[in-house]
């Protein structure tokens, strides 16, 4: 016996017929002729309404402001997304007014990549007990080629930083909007075993070591060398880092002999122009106090020639 009884909704003798739809939506035919007037020619050709033009102009202004905000946020993210987030912002020092751009300056977009609206910021962590003088020299050389926004920070873990290191980029005399600079150079005094450089937090690993960072910074100056010259430059940098800085007195004496021989043939270590090899070797000699072996005559003249250049003399003042 059924639990529920329901009356039949159709007669048993009649066949069940259900009409199914053949179209989900019905729209009027737009192709048929109507009595409505044809659209105006100006509307067909796409003449814009003045109110629409004003709206587009307002949208362009908003997008421009967004790009400027994005540039500022990208610059801050290089510190906020790293362990350097707890910086002491009271020790921020801006560099002096940027110099004129040289006509031989390299196109930074071809080296660092194009990022519309964002300032390319180089962030370097360095230990104040062993200042990387080569990086300070290269910073001054970069300032001669580009408009550089230079800043100095002190990590909260570092308690005492000499005043000359806090002002290693000079005093700020005039501030300009961030987007008017071509390159950002941020130096953070921090307790690290070796210098570290970060260019893009999201897209690259840190570059470690004074020699490696110096190679990268010097490449931004636009100098081009042959494969043989580049090999000699890399060899001198490796010699400075591994033998002159951390080697024995016997290894240091061998480096001095090689330098004295090379400087007897040319004014600089590799040819007649200053290269990153001269910058790194000079920096290592200053940091080690001239090593424990006598300095040959040609090497002594070469060191004096380096110190006669303004970027070297400014960096040398930090050791005094």
């Amino acid at each position: 016996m059924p639990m529920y009884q329901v009356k039949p909704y159709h007669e048993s003798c009649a066949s069940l017929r259900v009409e199914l739809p053949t179209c989900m939506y019905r729209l009027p035919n737009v192709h048929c002729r109507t009595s409505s007037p044809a659209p105006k020619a100006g509307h067909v050709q796409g003449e814009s309404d003045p109110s629409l033009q004003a709206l587009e102009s307002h949208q362009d202004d908003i997008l421009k402001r967004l790009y400027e905000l994005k540039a500022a946020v990208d610059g801050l993210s290089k510190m906020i997304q790293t362990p350097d987030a707890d910086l002491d912002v009271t020790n921020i020092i801006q560099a002096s007014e940027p110099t004129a751009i040289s006509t031989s300056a390299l196109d930074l977009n071809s080296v660092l990549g194009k990022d519309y609206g964002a300032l390319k910021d180089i962030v370097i962590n360095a230990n104040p007990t062993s200042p990387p003088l080569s990086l300070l020299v290269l910073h001054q050389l970069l300032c001669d080629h580009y408009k550089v926004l230079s800043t100095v920070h002190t990590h909260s873990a570092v308690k005492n930083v000499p005043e000359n290191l806090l002002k290693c980029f000079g005093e700020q005399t005039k501030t300009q909007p961030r987007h008017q600079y071509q390159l950002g150079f941020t130096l953070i005094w921090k307790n690290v075993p070796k210098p570290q450089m970060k260019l893009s937090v999201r897209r690259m690993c840190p570059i470690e070591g004074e020699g490696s960072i110096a190679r990268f910074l010097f490449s931004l100056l636009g100098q081009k060398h042959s494969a043989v010259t580049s090999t000699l430059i890399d060899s001198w940098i490796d010699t400075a880092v591994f033998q002159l800085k951390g080697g024995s007195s016997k290894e240091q004496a061998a480096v001095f002999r090689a330098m004295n021989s090379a400087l007897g043939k040319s004014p600089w270590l590799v040819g007649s122009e200053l290269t990153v090899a001269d910058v790194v070797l000079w920096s290592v000699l200053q940091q080690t106090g001239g090593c424990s072996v006598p300095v040959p005559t040609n090497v002594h003249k070469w060191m004096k020639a380096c110190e006669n250049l303004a970027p070297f003399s400014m960096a040398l003042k930090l050791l005094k």
Side-chain angles (χ1 to χ4, degrees):
M1 182 176 180
M3 182 178 295
Y4 303 103
Q5 291 185 355
V6 181
K7 295 180 180 181
Y9 57 90
H10 61 85
E11 297 180 357
S12 58
C13 59
S15 60
L16 180 62
R17 299 181 62 184
V18 178
E19 293 184 2
L20 299 177
T22 59
C23 180
M24 182 175 295
Y25 303 105
R26 295 186 181 275
L27 298 175
N29 190 352
V30 297
H31 300 286
C32 64
R33 295 182 178 180
T34 61
S35 59
S36 59
K40 295 182 179 180
H43 179 73
V44 174
Q45 295 178 1
E47 292 184 359
S48 58
D49 192 357
S51 60
L52 182 60
Q53 292 180 352
L55 182 61
E56 291 178 350
S57 177
H58 184 60
Q59 182 183 14
D60 293 338
D61 294 338
I62 294 176
L63 291 176
K64 183 178 179 181
R65 294 177 60 187
L66 287 177
Y67 281 125
E68 293 178 355
L69 290 175
K70 179 179 179 294
V73 172
D74 288 343
L76 293 175
S77 65
K78 292 180 173 63
M79 294 175 291
I80 296 176
Q81 295 182 6
T82 62
D84 307 324
D86 52 345
L87 295 173
D88 184 4
V89 295
T90 59
N91 292 329
I92 299 176
I93 303 174
Q94 300 283 350
S96 57
E97 184 176 0
T99 56
I101 304 174
S102 173
T103 56
S104 62
L106 185 68
D107 183 13
L108 292 178
N109 290 332
S110 63
V111 179
L112 306 180
K114 188 175 181 180
D115 190 4
Y116 181 77
L119 178 66
K120 300 171 180 63
D121 195 3
I122 297 174
V123 180
I124 296 178
N125 298 327
N127 198 318
T129 60
S130 180
L133 298 182
S134 64
L135 305 186
L136 302 179
V137 172
L138 292 172
H139 164 265
Q140 187 60 39
L141 294 176
L142 288 173
C143 290
D144 295 337
H145 286 72
Y146 307 102
K147 290 183 178 180
V148 181
L149 175 61
S150 307
T151 56
V152 179
H153 300 267
T154 302
H155 195 269
S156 59
V158 179
K159 302 304 179 183
N160 297 318
V161 178
E163 188 68 19
N164 55 347
L165 296 182
L166 294 177
K167 298 181 179 180
C168 60
F169 291 160
E171 296 286 355
Q172 173 66 24
T173 57
K174 183 179 180 181
T175 59
Q176 297 182 2
R178 184 179 177 87
H179 66 273
Q180 293 186 5
Y181 293 91
Q182 294 177 291
L183 184 66
F185 198 103
T186 302
L187 178 61
I188 303 173
W189 295 117
K190 181 181 178 182
N191 292 329
V192 290
K194 60 179 65 175
Q196 301 172 347
M197 188 198 78
K198 300 175 184 178
L199 178 62
S200 175
V201 176
R202 296 180 297 272
R203 292 179 291 181
M204 69 172 288
C205 297
I207 298 177
E208 294 188 348
E210 184 176 352
S212 300
I213 299 175
R215 286 186 180 98
F216 176 82
L217 296 179
F218 199 83
S219 66
L220 302 181
L221 299 176
Q223 274 196 356
K224 297 185 180 298
H225 303 287
S226 63
V228 176
T229 303
S230 299
T231 303
L232 289 175
I233 293 173
D234 290 337
S235 177
W236 279 117
I237 294 176
D238 293 339
T239 299
V241 174
F242 297 108
Q243 296 183 16
L244 191 60
K245 188 174 184 178
S248 61
S249 58
K250 185 177 180 180
E251 291 176 325
Q252 294 173 356
V255 173
F256 275 130
R257 288 194 298 268
M259 292 178 62
N260 192 58
S261 176
L263 293 172
K265 302 174 184 178
S266 59
W268 304 103
L269 289 172
V270 184
S272 58
E273 294 183 356
L274 177 75
T275 64
V276 66
D278 299 283
V279 178
V280 175
L281 274 164
W282 177 86
S283 174
V284 170
L285 285 176
Q286 296 297 334
Q287 293 175 20
T288 56
C291 302
S292 58
V293 296
V295 180
T297 304
N298 292 333
V299 177
H300 183 74
K301 293 180 180 179
W302 165 80
M303 293 182 65
K304 291 296 183 182
C306 292
E307 295 169 7
N308 288 334
L309 301 177
F312 291 85
S313 61
M314 293 177 61
L316 190 60
K317 294 179 182 179
L318 300 179
L319 297 180
K320 299 180 181 179

